[in-house]
Amino acid sequence: PLTFSVMNAFHGIPAGDILQVKTHESPYKHPVDGWNHHAAEESDVHTRYMVQMKMNDPTASWTMTNTGFAMDPTEDESKASLVYGWNELGYLPHQSFGVDRALRSLADADSILSFNDLVQSRGDGFAMYAGDGEWVGSLNTMRPGQGYRLRLGASNASNAGILAGKLEWPISLGMEYLVRATEDEPTWEMDIAALESEMMAVIRLDVGQGQPQGLADALGAFIPGPDGPVCIGQAHPMDTVQGLLYFLTMYGDATSKWYEQPLHFRWLSSATAQEWTAEESVTFESSKLLGQLDAPMLLHFRNLNEETSDLVAFPNPFRDELSIHWHGSEDIVELRLEDATGKLIDIIDCDGLTSG
């Protein structure tokens, strides 16, 4: 409801469990000082609020309940005014929509969106505008109860703060609430609950000739920690028009001394089950984007052939199919296949096959 103050929006949740409430522009509750005078102001359904809860019990959860009439997205008060630069968005539809559908009114307007504009979530990744109404990235669904950030006109910083137009959300077809499909288990253990800031990167890998890449590969970002490297972001590649790209979100804490040091990247090959470290490293910077769709950040892994055998077989172990890559300078005459006991199963004639 439009008549809720920010403080009243949290009615029913123990006040002591709420440590901090703020937007990028205004603080409402401080971990030490508590609620301030801004908390009595009317809440804004078009704004993304950031809330920090107590972490004493990792299994604890809280539920916010808002009552009232659903807003009609076709009415003017439901349309979000957007400026060039960063915009905070509250998601008004009562059902999930794909990013393309949720932001279709911006694409239909023609003059609002430009290539490489960006929409970002807290935990679901980000997507970039690729033209013709299409968004590409790790964020594919916008959902009720979530907040988002939208960056418009990155290629023309002189327009920052100037009105760009209005976003009209699609009409909900019902009260359906769709959640994301269950994701695979993370490749590296990661805990981001206490990390407020994010940095994003669009990344392509240069792994040298003959090294296979696949959609099951993983890329992780790491910082030094008191007990060894700590993973602060990870992603699988996506097959795009620009090739295999990683849309990687890295989480950070600007007050931590560990973020004063460069972070490094690791690539885990699903083909070889081996892990390598990139030659490049970067310094964490909140809200920064490294790379773009048409000019991704390039990570080099040039020493792979020095670290691995000339003969690569994957997957290992395998069930029905096995791929064998040979990258040596000598020709292979034949392959002898044996089982675990050493019994000869088959001999494959490789005469005439070239390296790779």
Side-chain angles (χ1 to χ4, degrees):
L2 296 177
T3 55
F4 270 10
S5 69
V6 175
M7 184 187 300
N8 286 340
F10 292 89
H11 176 75
I13 298 179
D17 291 352
I18 307 171
L19 300 183
Q20 189 172 190
V21 179
K22 65 180 182 179
T23 65
H24 276 270
E25 291 79 25
S26 302
Y28 296 94
K29 186 176 185 182
H30 188 271
V32 177
D33 301 329
W35 296 102
N36 59 29
H37 65 281
H38 292 295
E41 297 174 355
E42 199 171 82
S43 59
D44 185 355
V45 294
H46 297 298
T47 295
R48 181 185 79 148
Y49 292 88
M50 294 177 285
V51 182
Q52 181 185 13
M53 305 297 291
K54 286 176 62 174
M55 298 179 60
N56 298 6
D57 181 4
T59 64
S61 63
W62 300 264
T63 301
M64 293 182 65
T65 303
N66 292 332
T67 58
F69 294 101
M71 299 185 69
D72 182 349
T74 63
E75 296 180 353
D76 283 341
E77 65 179 7
S78 299
K79 300 176 183 178
S81 295
L82 304 176
V83 299
Y84 291 106
W86 283 107
N87 297 268
E88 305 295 313
L89 295 179
Y91 186 77
L92 298 190
H94 288 262
Q95 71 176 88
S96 303
F97 286 104
V99 177
D100 294 358
R101 179 69 182 91
L103 303 180
R104 181 176 296 173
S105 67
L106 300 184
D108 291 344
D110 266 345
S111 59
I112 297 179
L113 291 176
S114 57
F115 196 76
N116 283 320
D117 280 347
L118 181 149
V119 59
Q120 173 196 5
S121 74
R122 162 64 181 175
D124 294 345
F126 66 98
M128 304 188 73
Y129 189 60
D132 295 327
E134 181 184 6
W135 294 79
V136 178
S138 49
L139 175 65
N140 51 45
T141 304
M142 301 181 75
R143 301 180 290 133
Q146 301 298 306
Y148 299 90
R149 301 188 77 200
L150 177 68
R151 190 192 67 177
L152 299 176
S155 60
N156 192 350
S158 61
N159 287 340
I162 297 176
L163 184 66
K166 289 193 174 185
L167 166 63
E168 181 178 330
W169 295 106
I171 297 176
S172 300
L173 303 178
M175 297 298 289
E176 184 180 14
Y177 179 84
L178 302 178
V179 298
R180 289 179 304 163
T182 302
E183 294 185 344
D184 296 333
E185 289 295 319
T187 305
W188 298 279
E189 183 178 349
M190 190 172 74
D191 183 5
I192 63 170
L195 304 177
E196 177 184 329
S197 303
E198 302 106 15
M199 182 170 75
M200 296 157 288
V202 182
I203 298 173
R204 174 179 288 131
L205 305 188
D206 179 0
V207 298
Q209 292 185 349
Q211 291 294 334
Q213 295 189 60
L215 296 176
D217 294 356
L219 181 70
F222 295 80
I223 61 166
D227 301 314
V230 176
C231 182
I232 60 169
Q234 55 188 291
H236 294 291
M238 298 189 64
D239 192 6
T240 73
V241 174
Q242 290 79 18
L244 286 183
L245 296 179
Y246 290 83
F247 294 84
L248 180 64
T249 300
M250 295 155 279
Y251 299 87
D253 178 4
T255 64
S256 171
K257 65 178 182 180
W258 301 109
Y259 283 85
E260 298 174 0
Q261 305 180 56
L263 59 89
H264 67 272
F265 300 93
R266 296 182 186 177
W267 172 53
L268 177 65
S269 168
S270 59
T272 64
Q274 292 181 291
E275 190 175 301
W276 293 275
T277 300
E279 297 177 4
E280 294 82 4
S281 61
V282 299
T283 301
F284 185 88
E285 186 176 336
S286 180
S287 296
K288 186 174 183 178
L289 173 67
L290 302 173
Q292 299 183 38
L293 284 178
D294 52 348
M297 176 184 179
L298 197 59
L299 294 181
H300 296 89
F301 298 84
R302 298 188 186 279
N303 59 346
L304 298 190
N305 289 328
E306 299 173 5
E307 298 181 18
T308 62
S309 169
D310 289 334
L311 185 65
V312 179
F314 62 93
N316 185 18
F318 73 98
R319 177 172 298 177
D320 300 318
E321 295 183 359
L322 177 69
S323 296
I324 299 175
H325 286 232
W326 167 255
H327 306 291
S329 57
E330 300 178 354
D331 293 334
I332 296 181
V333 177
E334 65 180 23
L335 283 177
R336 300 173 62 87
L337 304 182
E338 302 176 354
D339 64 14
T341 66
K343 179 183 176 181
L344 181 64
I345 303 299
D346 196 3
I347 298 178
I348 302 175
D349 183 10
C350 299
D351 187 34
L353 294 182
T354 58
S355 177

